Amino acid sequence: MNPLLSAIGSKLEAISVPVQLEMPDGTRVGAADPRVRFVARDKGALAHLAAGEVGVLGQDYVEGRVDIQGNMHDVMRAAAEMLPGSPVDAARSGWLTELVRRVVSVWRHSVERDAKQIEFHYDLSDDFYALWLDPRRVYSCAYYRTPEMNLAQAQEAKLDHICRKLRLHEGERFLDVGAGWGGLLLWAAENYGVDATGITLSRNQHAYVNRLIQEKGLQGRVRMELLDYRKLDETRPYDKISSVGMFEHVGRAQLPEYFAKLRRLLRPGGLVMNHGITAGGVHNAQLGNGMGEFIEKYIFPGGELTHVSHVQEALALGGLEATDVENLRPHYARTLWAWSDTLEARLDEASRLLGGEKGERSLRAYRLYLAGCAMAFEHGWIALHQIVAQHLATGRSDELDLPSDLAYPWRRDYMYAPKA
């Protein structure tokens, strides 16, 4: 056996899941009765397998250079054990690389480029997303308030969790930045009576939510605009603002100005809540071992990870004070497995919807993306933080007395009190 195959054989034997590799010539290495099979179509993928470059191996799968067979839970357990070390540590960079990344971050997040990047991801196919999302099409971390909740229930619990954190009240002006398919926007309007505005850069989402607004008779009280956040009118501040799954697309270099924009849109005493994916490591803007490059190429072009400590720094630089921070990391792992399991059960429908060679590549990419992200959240390589913030303190002495012009109560019992 040649040295490369010998190295691969040793790696496969060390994995707790039975794994087998089939070579282009039919030669097989590894378990005789595998639960996961790698079928190499060309020899280039073998070096990536031997080195544990699972993200690059994922690219080989998307491009058809290797086939991966098996249950996605088993595939991801094998992938985690194939890694040579933590992908967080593998992505650590020196000062020069960090400087280059900052320059690139500024360059890649113009109004025009952001619109194209959002279109690339969210306008893939509404029907495709509807196959594996909940009925409200909430494309962000759910909140499993009780263990027995299914995905749809957990997504509704998340929407209400956010509304309670923001202490929404009837008649308040509410802004949802990056409103997706309108789940939070419509929930807040229907259950809390707010005057709600949402923005998106996705034409598909814009059209879909406006149809829902019409169907629900919410015209005049709810609106969805096709608009970049930088162009939002600051002359009429909002009482409450949410940013869910949005700041990952902003770019790390732009975060202080992003939060400064939200501050200018927020009335003094109001609340803003930022809900987004954060880096597991302090020094990495993506995951190593080819995983970050995979997501950049096939899923989220322009996306950047930021550690929660840097998010809080950017909040402060933007003129906001963090009042509540919550890590929902294991909730997102469960959410992603729910999405992945549903997609796996409907692969034939997904293939018909996306169609053609390009569609098949997208489907293969999403299969790995959903299951791979679930694994990454389970291992703590990435996390999900909700941060509630307000304008910086002004020195007033009555904050604990619940004055009517201040929204944050400084006591956590507001989260658990019955809805008024």
Side-chain angles (χ1 to χ4, degrees):
M1 184 179 292
N2 69 50
L4 181 59
L5 275 186
S6 178
I8 292 174
S10 298
K11 182 177 284 289
L12 298 185
E13 288 175 7
I15 295 173
S16 60
V17 180
V19 180
Q20 183 186 86
L21 166 68
E22 182 176 320
M23 299 283 289
D25 63 2
T27 303
R28 296 179 180 180
V29 178
D33 186 19
R35 282 162 51 185
V36 175
R37 293 186 73 235
F38 296 100
V39 181
R41 305 299 183 196
D42 70 54
K43 295 183 178 179
L46 299 180
H48 305 147
L49 181 61
E53 294 288 325
V54 297
V56 185
L57 191 62
Q59 294 187 46
D60 292 332
Y61 169 68
V62 172
E63 300 300 335
R65 292 186 288 270
V66 65
D67 189 26
I68 301 175
Q69 302 170 359
N71 178 284
M72 275 295 159
H73 291 260
D74 290 334
V75 170
M76 288 306 141
R77 193 191 315 172
E81 294 182 28
M82 284 167 53
L83 288 166
S86 167
V88 172
D89 294 336
R92 289 193 64 166
S93 56
W95 68 268
L96 181 59
T97 303
E98 188 62 30
L99 177 62
V100 171
R101 280 180 177 165
R102 181 174 179 81
V103 172
V104 171
S105 178
V106 172
W107 172 82
R108 78 199 306 188
H109 288 286
S110 66
V111 173
E112 295 77 16
R113 289 191 183 94
D114 280 351
K116 290 180 181 178
Q117 289 163 1
I118 293 299
E119 180 183 358
F120 177 91
H121 183 90
Y122 292 99
D123 288 350
L124 174 64
S125 165
D126 272 19
D127 291 336
F128 170 68
Y129 287 112
L131 278 182
W132 45 273
L133 294 178
D134 68 294
R136 295 180 184 274
R137 298 190 190 180
V138 183
Y139 192 21
S140 55
C141 175
Y143 183 66
Y144 288 85
R145 187 167 49 81
T146 57
E148 72 279 0
M149 281 185 165
N150 61 31
L151 176 64
Q153 293 168 331
Q155 288 294 12
E156 290 188 351
K158 186 273 297 293
L159 299 179
D160 213 58
H161 194 57
I162 292 173
C163 292
R164 284 172 175 256
K165 279 189 174 183
L166 286 172
R167 306 190 76 225
L168 293 183
H169 296 292
E170 187 171 351
E172 288 186 322
R173 298 188 71 239
F174 170 61
L175 171 67
D176 189 16
V177 184
W181 283 280
L184 177 59
L185 188 74
L186 298 171
W187 183 272
E190 293 180 302
N191 293 279
Y192 289 83
V194 296
D195 181 272
T197 299
I199 64 168
T200 182
L201 291 177
S202 165
R203 296 184 183 279
N204 284 5
Q205 291 177 343
H206 176 254
Y208 176 81
V209 176
N210 276 300
R211 285 197 300 272
L212 287 181
I213 292 170
Q214 293 287 328
E215 291 170 6
K216 292 173 176 288
L218 294 171
Q219 309 94 308
R221 193 155 63 82
V222 183
R223 61 209 59 83
M224 180 69 151
E225 301 179 14
L226 191 65
L227 187 69
D228 188 278
Y229 74 89
R230 283 161 283 208
K231 297 183 178 180
L232 279 162
D233 180 16
E234 300 175 13
T235 60
R236 291 189 63 212
Y238 293 87
D239 297 292
K240 309 290 172 59
I241 300 174
S242 64
S243 170
V244 179
M246 166 66 193
F247 93 125
E248 300 94 323
H249 303 285
V250 169
R252 186 167 170 175
Q254 281 70 237
L255 284 182
E257 180 49 39
Y258 176 65
F259 290 128
K261 176 68 175 181
L262 297 188
R263 176 183 53 78
R264 294 193 299 271
L265 290 164
L266 182 69
R267 71 161 175 83
L271 295 176
V272 59
M273 196 221 63
N274 187 76
H275 166 123
I277 298 171
T278 51
V282 176
H283 302 288
N284 57 301
Q286 62 179 17
L287 294 178
N289 303 113
M291 297 166 75
E293 289 86 351
F294 176 89
I295 292 177
E296 166 76 23
K297 182 174 182 179
Y298 295 109
I299 307 295
F300 281 119
E304 296 176 43
L305 291 177
T306 307
H307 190 264
V308 64
S309 61
H310 297 305
V311 178
Q312 291 189 267
E313 178 186 33
L315 276 166
L317 291 171
L320 292 167
E321 175 188 25
T323 58
D324 185 274
V325 180
E326 183 177 15
N327 187 350
L328 298 181
R329 181 184 55 75
H331 291 269
Y332 214 171
R334 184 167 295 185
T335 303
L336 281 152
W337 277 128
W339 290 341
S340 175
D341 291 343
T342 303
L343 177 60
E344 291 299 303
R346 308 185 75 176
L347 287 177
D348 289 343
E349 294 174 76
S351 182
R352 285 195 298 271
L353 278 173
L354 294 178
E357 185 178 341
K358 183 179 179 182
E360 284 301 316
R361 283 202 303 272
S362 294
L363 180 55
R364 289 195 292 268
Y366 269 80
R367 292 184 69 195
L368 291 187
Y369 161 64
L370 294 176
C373 283
M375 171 186 68
F377 278 103
E378 286 179 337
H379 284 267
W381 300 332
I382 47 180
L384 186 290
H385 282 87
Q386 288 185 346
I387 304 178
V388 178
Q390 64 179 9
H391 283 246
L392 292 175
T394 58
R396 58 192 293 172
S397 60
D398 63 345
E399 289 178 282
L400 281 181
D401 302 325
L402 301 181
S404 60
D405 61 328
L406 296 184
Y408 190 69
W410 293 102
R411 294 179 180 88
R412 291 213 170 199
D413 54 356
Y414 75 94
M415 293 184 188
Y416 311 105
K419 256 192 317 187

